[in-house]
Amino acid sequence: MSTTTMNQTAAAQSTATLPLGKAITAGLRAAMTANDKVLMMGEDIGPLGGVFRVTEGLHAEFGDKRVLDTPLAESGIIGTAIGLAMRGYRPVCEIQFDGFIFPGFDQITTQLARMRNRHEGRLSMPVVIRVPYGGHIGSIEHHQESPEAYFAHTPGLRVVSPSNPNDAYWMIQQAIESDDPVLFFEPKSRYWPKGVVELGAAPEQVLPLHASRVVRQGTDVTVVGHGAMVSVLLEAAELAAEEGTSIEVIDLRSISPIDYGPILESVAKTTRLVVAQEASGFVSVGSEIAATVMERAFYLLEAPVLRVSGFDTPFPPAAVETHFLPSADRVLDAVDRALAY
C-alpha cells in the first residue's frame, strides 16, 4: 500500500457521519474516557439515556457512579454539581428541557456564576450545564423555549451553542475542559440531521470554543445566527442566490463571550447586517449584537442593523409555532429591507 493510500485510509477512519445528538454522545464519551473526574448528572440520563437519548450507552459503559440519575430537582442538581466542582470533579448536568432550567436559576446565577470571583480566582468551577433548547419539535409550553439571554447577561458564565455535529462533538469536550461554568445550549431540532465529524482532528485544527465562523461567503448582506437558526440562514442564502443576492452567513457558536472579529470583517465587506434568533427580540442576544455593531462599525453600514426573532410573547402552542419561529422568508424580508436603504 502506498503512503498516499495509507494516509487516505487513516483520514477516513478518523471521521464519522453522525447526527448532532450522537456527536454530543461521542464527545461526552471521549471526555469521560480522558478524565475520570468527569461525571454526569440529570433526570433519566442513566439506563434510559435521556429524553433525546444523548447519554445512551454511557451508564452501561461508565457505571452509576459516573452517570447519575437524579431526582426531579434542578436546583439540587446544580447545587450538588457546585459542591462536586469544589472537590475537583468536572460535573456535566443535563436539564431535560429548556423551560425546566428556571428552578435551578438561583443556583446558577447567584452561586455558580459568582464562585470564582468570590474566591478571587483561586477556586475553579468546571461545571457544564447541557440545555436542549428551541422549537420545531411540536411540543408544549416549557419544552420549546430559548432562554439563553438570561445566562449571557450573567457575568461569570460562558454560553455556547453548536449548530452542526462536528462543532457539537468538539465544543462539548472544550466546555468540559473549561475551568469556568459553561451553559451548553443544544438546538434540539438539530439533534437528528447528520454531518461529518472529524474525530481524529488535532487540537490545533479545532476552532476555539468561543470563535464565530463564516459558514457561507457572500458580498451583499451579512446574516448572523446561532444554533438551529444557522440552518434557516443557510436556506435563506440559497433562496436569495437564485434571485442574484449574495448573503454571507456567520455561525455565532458562542453567545457569551461573542467573537465579533468575523462579524465586523464581514460587515466591512457587505455594509449590511441582519441578526436572527428563535428567542424573543426584546433585550436579547440579537439586541446586543445590533447595538455593538452599530457602535463599532457605524460608518461602515449602509443600512441599520435589522433583527429577526421570535415574537415578544410566551412560546405558543405547537399548532402555531411555525408562525412564531423565524423562517427563511422572514429572514429574506429583512434582507430585502436592508438592501432597500
Side-chain angles (χ1 to χ4, degrees), residues 150-165:
Y150 289 106
F151 304 99
H153 178 73
T154 304
L157 299 176
R158 299 176 182 269
V159 185
V160 301
S161 180
S163 68
N164 62 77

Side-chain angles (χ1 to χ4, degrees), residues 28-47:
L28 291 169
R29 178 177 289 109
M32 295 183 77
T33 301
N35 186 345
D36 61 10
K37 293 294 186 181
V38 177
L39 55 85
M40 290 187 291
M41 309 164 56
E43 301 160 7
D44 300 322
I45 69 166

Side-chain angles (χ1 to χ4, degrees), residues 13-16 18 26 166 169-170 197-201:
Q13 292 173 342
S14 68
T15 64
L18 298 171
N166 192 60
Y169 173 75
W170 288 106
V197 178
E198 300 287 344
L199 300 171

Side-chain angles (χ1 to χ4, degrees), residues 235-237 239-240 247 308 327-337:
E235 178 189 355
L239 293 171
I247 293 179
V308 182
S327 63
D329 284 342
R330 284 177 59 193
V331 172
L332 290 174
D333 177 69
V335 167
D336 288 343
R337 286 188 286 123

Side-chain angles (χ1 to χ4, degrees), residues 39-118:
L39 55 85
M40 290 187 291
M41 309 164 56
E43 301 160 7
D44 300 322
I45 69 166
L48 180 65
V51 171
F52 297 101
R53 304 300 187 265
V54 173
T55 56
E56 190 171 41
L58 298 179
H59 181 270
E61 187 171 345
F62 295 99
D64 59 9
K65 295 293 191 294
R66 295 187 65 194
V67 183
L68 290 77
D69 271 336
T70 68
L72 303 181
E74 287 77 14
S75 182
I77 294 170
I78 305 304
T80 302
I82 292 170
L84 286 165
M86 294 175 72
R87 299 296 295 173
Y89 290 90
R90 291 182 174 269
V92 181
C93 306
E94 180 184 293
I95 302 298
Q96 200 169 70
F97 282 93
D98 37 51
F100 299 166
I101 199 168
F102 297 108
F105 190 82
D106 178 36
Q107 288 283 8
I108 295 170
T109 59
T110 66
Q111 301 300 333
L112 180 64
R114 301 167 187 252
M115 198 66 72
R116 290 204 80 181
N117 186 71
R118 188 178 295 159

Side-chain angles (χ1 to χ4, degrees), residues 273-291:
L273 175 64
V274 173
V275 187
Q277 61 188 22
E278 288 192 11
S280 299
F282 184 69
V283 192
S284 65
V285 175
S287 302
E288 179 63 27
I289 295 172

